[in-house]
Amino acid sequence: DVKVTQSSRYLVKRTGEKVFLECVQDMDHENMFWYRQDPGLGLRLIYFSYDVKMKEKGDIPEGYSVSREKKERFSLILESASTNQTSMYLCASSFQGFAEAFFGQGTRLTVV
Amino acid sequence: EDQVTQSPEALRLQEGESSSLNCSYTVSGLRGLFWYRQDPGKGPEFLFTLYSAGEEKEKERLKATLTKKESFLHITAPKPEDSATYLCAVHDRGGNEKLTFGTGTRLTIIP
């Protein structure tokens, strides 16, 4: 079975902190994604990567950056956390050319 | 811009009462339509992929169908454990590898 693992289930951070969310997949998938999910807005794509060291902006990249130094690992960085970044963050991965994505369990981030 | 609209937002059914969830979409060219199930506080779990109009997929009490404008997720004789939010997503042929999601239907099955 595909396994996508996010480093934390719950995080509480202070405004202005630099926050790292880590994601690891074990299926040798080329594509990796970061989404955020908010009530009434659904899942919105923040960034995605289709290869090591490659990244593309999604629909809402402002305030975020990403890093992919190894194929299996994709990190989301909040450079200076703000309260409007309180959300559920979901990592996903998929094979190149096959868009069915497999998700991690999510990280519930609260910025206070 | 791709658009995905799911209806109803929420649905409450008695155990054993069959019904359907709707996903209507607008894309320049459909490469695939996906259904996911999401339990509270968890990540979405992949259910089905549909590629072309007329295609159907089944899994236990769930059956997904696809037309050129919409997809239906039919649930037959549901059980309380089928309670979840069901998400629909599309992959546009003209775009990259990303999926565009609807906001989901929250399904509650009452024993």
Side-chain angles (χ1 to χ4, degrees):
Chain A
D1 281 352
V2 174
K3 193 162 186 182
V4 180
T5 304
Q6 296 182 227
S7 54
S8 304
R9 288 295 306 276
Y10 301 95
L11 276 179
V12 180
K13 297 293 181 180
R14 294 196 179 275
T15 301
E17 276 193 77
K18 190 169 187 176
V19 181
F20 293 85
L21 303 183
E22 307 285 344
C23 175
V24 177
Q25 52 95 2
D26 67 357
M27 279 301 292
D28 203 33
H29 284 168
E30 292 88 359
N31 302 324
M32 295 190 76
F33 307 85
W34 276 106
Y35 287 87
R36 65 178 280 179
Q37 186 175 31
D38 301 287
L41 297 177
L43 277 80
R44 293 178 292 165
L45 182 65
I46 305 171
Y47 267 97
F48 70 100
S49 169
Y50 52 89
D51 201 352
V52 175
K53 297 191 185 295
M54 305 301 289
K55 61 184 178 183
E56 294 280 347
K57 292 180 180 179
D59 300 317
I60 52 164
E62 296 78 18
Y64 303 94
S65 62
V66 291
S67 173
R68 192 165 181 201
E69 297 295 319
K70 293 185 178 182
K71 190 175 185 180
E72 68 270 18
R73 189 178 297 270
F74 193 35
S75 302
L76 180 69
I77 303 153
L78 286 66
E79 297 291 342
S80 178
S82 63
T83 54
N84 63 12
Q85 293 179 310
T86 292
S87 186
M88 169 72 97
Y89 288 88
L90 291 160
C91 175
S93 69
S94 68
F95 281 118
Q96 195 77 14
F98 294 89
E100 55 253 43
F102 297 88
F103 285 82
Q105 76 276 27
T107 297
R108 173 75 65 185
L109 172 67
T110 302
V111 182
V112 297
Chain B
E1 184 178 322
D2 300 344
Q3 287 192 327
V4 180
T5 303
Q6 292 188 245
S7 62
E9 287 188 18
L11 181 63
R12 291 171 61 90
L13 299 172
Q14 293 290 330
E15 184 173 359
E17 181 185 359
S18 301
S19 188
S20 298
L21 313 181
N22 178 262
C23 171
S24 61
Y25 62 90
T26 304
V27 295
S28 57
L30 184 68
R31 190 167 168 183
L33 184 139
F34 307 87
W35 282 99
Y36 288 83
R37 169 194 170 122
Q38 186 175 24
D39 293 303
K42 296 188 176 181
E45 175 188 345
F46 172 73
L47 291 174
F48 303 110
T49 307
L50 301 166
Y51 293 106
S52 57
E55 189 174 0
E56 298 182 354
K57 293 274 180 73
E58 284 190 68
K59 181 179 181 179
E60 297 181 356
R61 295 174 292 282
L62 299 175
K63 184 170 79 171
T65 62
L66 181 66
T67 73
K68 289 185 178 180
K69 298 285 187 185
E70 58 191 351
S71 177
F72 291 94
L73 186 65
H74 306 278
I75 181 160
T76 303
K79 298 181 178 182
E81 54 262 41
D82 295 320
S83 297
T85 295
Y86 291 86
L87 300 170
C88 170
V90 296
H91 184 205
D92 190 335
R93 188 177 298 279
N96 46 41
E97 301 290 319
K98 74 167 192 173
L99 299 179
T100 300
F101 282 84
T103 53
T105 294
R106 188 173 65 254
L107 177 66
T108 304
I109 308 301
I110 304 162

